[in-house]
Amino acid sequence: MELAHLRIDTPVGPLLISGTDDFIQAVSFTEEPETAFPQPPHLVLDCAQQLHEYFAGDRKVFDVPIQQPGTDFQQTVWEQLTRIPFGQTISYLQLARRIGNPKSIRAVGTTNGKNQLAIIVPCHRVIGSNGTLVGYAGGLWRKRWLLNHERLDLFSQG
């Protein structure tokens, strides 16, 4: 089944949602100019609605079916990311421990960076062991904004 796309405007810039009738495959930050896409399937529209609710402060958990290609290891890491509660953070080391392999911290970090489902698979909730903001494909300013949006105001440093 061919992927459909929908671009939405958000407080952290435009997002491009890609999906089918069955699952959402990607939610990514985009700098591309607005493009006219064919009418997306209902699931893509539902995902857009859930993202708007998140940004409005009315949604903490997403319930759209998701699927992104990746190895078994990557799938395990991404699954653990979905278990980080709204408004909480964990370190890369804690994430590596959660998958049962504390020595995989670098691979966990790399996998976190390959997440194609921004916000829905909340890789922005992973921080450095010393509590600093590190690594975010959408840029640290977006990570800071998302964490502040989730009421984590401790990340106000520049």
Side-chain angles (χ1 to χ4, degrees), residues 60-61 66 75-90 95 98-99 120-123 125-126:
K60 295 181 179 180
V61 176
I66 57 174
Q75 297 296 334
T76 299
V77 171
W78 294 327
E79 170 61 28
Q80 283 300 315
L81 291 174
T82 65
R83 296 178 184 196
I84 305 169
F86 181 94
Q88 294 183 24
T89 60
I90 65 170
L95 183 56
R98 284 187 181 187
I99 66 166
I120 292 176
V121 175
C123 56
R125 296 180 187 152
V126 182

Side-chain angles (χ1 to χ4, degrees), residues 4 8 23 34 53 56 63 69 71 85 95-96 106 144 147 151 154:
I8 63 170
F23 59 85
E34 196 159 346
E53 291 167 2
D63 62 8
T71 65
L95 183 56
R106 287 182 163 246
R144 184 177 298 110
L147 291 173
R151 309 292 186 265
L154 56 155

